Amino acid sequence: MKNKILITGARGFIGDFLVNLLDAKRFKLNIILNSSTFNLCNWDLVSKTPKSDLIIHLAAKNFVPDSFLNPLDFYNNNISSTLNILEKARKDNSRVIFFSTYVYGIPEYLPVDEKHQSSPLNPYTQSKLICEQLCMAYNRDFGIPITIFRPFNVYGPGQNPSFFIPSIIKQINNDFIYLDDSRPKRDFIYIDDVISAIYKCIINENLSDTFNIYNLGTGISTSVKDVAELILEISQSKSKLIFSNKVRKGEVLETKADIKKIKKELKWNYKTSLRKGIEKIINNNKVAI
């Protein structure tokens, strides 16, 4: 098995966990930390990175509310960096793992499989779908082996506190926890399960000359209200939940992943329930809370 791997976004939430695992497995890693340390939109810089057997492209601007405020930055960064990575893979004959996002919009059916039509509802998701199309084109035109992961709602220790679950946990010592709409239901997948899927992809020799797209989720959806109440129960917090009932622009009321394809082809399944995942986060943060 070839094991020279280039990872972009290596100090992001997912990248940090992935690098720790691959270090332990003794892979040879070339690491690009983040956009503040290396400009992935600069082809001259990207072209000079060491040749690798596999490129795992995690780096991206990814906070949906910010994509409405700064769409130009999101499109420029996410599309240009991905195009450069694909061109690097073409020149070096590298395989690519591309991390996308939930691209399905308001579902026509549940659970959502990979054949469901794509319908982005914000600039971030639109930028990722354009990147997916670039991946398809480079596979079609140049035979670059590419695997695309479409994660649903990833969570775990160390995640940016602006995201949903950590935003609640950081408030559990307050008298009140303020949230918006209590209704949306999401498919939450714990970080360890995401990393195990990436690892199975890395070591699977059957993916060395193919193009594949996989959902990453659990097939279980849980409402904002139920997640918040579970966090209060696990942490034994006395905080009171206050919902403003404010509806976000482009809101989707329920997402749920169909994961039959990844189960069959990568022999992967999630292992961490939502309760167990939240327990791990709270235990990890005990000193802080």
Side-chain angles (χ1 to χ4, degrees), residues 214-246:
Y214 296 113
N215 284 340
L216 270 179
T218 65
I220 300 169
S221 60
T222 309
S223 72
V224 166
K225 183 174 184 290
D226 287 344
V227 172
E229 290 178 346
L230 181 60
I231 291 171
L232 296 187
E233 176 194 336
I234 291 171
S235 65
Q236 300 181 335
S237 170
K238 304 301 181 184
S239 299
K240 182 178 179 181
L241 297 173
I242 305 293
F243 294 98
S244 70
N245 297 318
K246 176 184 176 183

Side-chain angles (χ1 to χ4, degrees), residues 183-196:
R183 301 171 301 157
K185 301 177 72 176
R186 295 289 181 265
D187 188 332
F188 294 95
I189 178 168
Y190 190 67
I191 184 65
D192 287 356
D193 293 320
V194 171
I195 299 306
S196 73

Side-chain angles (χ1 to χ4, degrees), residues 241-255:
L241 297 173
I242 305 293
F243 294 98
S244 70
N245 297 318
K246 176 184 176 183
V247 178
R248 290 194 313 174
K249 184 177 181 180
E251 185 62 272
V252 176
L253 285 182
E254 184 170 11
T255 65

Side-chain angles (χ1 to χ4, degrees), residues 24 28 31 38 41 43 51 101 111-112 119 139 152 159 164 172 184 187-188 196 229 242 256 263 267 278 282:
K28 299 174 184 176
I31 292 173
F38 188 97
C41 298
W43 168 246
K51 183 175 180 179
T101 190
V112 176
S119 183
N139 172 263
F152 281 53
Q159 189 174 28
F164 174 58
I172 60 177
D187 188 332
F188 294 95
S196 73
E229 290 178 346
I242 305 293
K256 184 187 296 185
K263 282 183 176 180
K267 311 303 180 191
I278 290 172
I282 289 174

Side-chain angles (χ1 to χ4, degrees), residues 15 22 41 44 68 87 100 167 191 279:
L22 297 182
C41 298
D44 286 339
F68 284 106
E87 182 64 9
S100 186
S167 76
I191 184 65
E279 286 175 350

Side-chain angles (χ1 to χ4, degrees), residues 4 21 24 71 108 115-116 120 128 135 138 222 272 274 288:
K4 293 180 182 177
L21 173 67
E108 295 181 358
K115 295 179 181 179
H116 190 287
K128 282 293 193 177
C135 289
Y138 265 72
T222 309
T272 310
L274 183 59

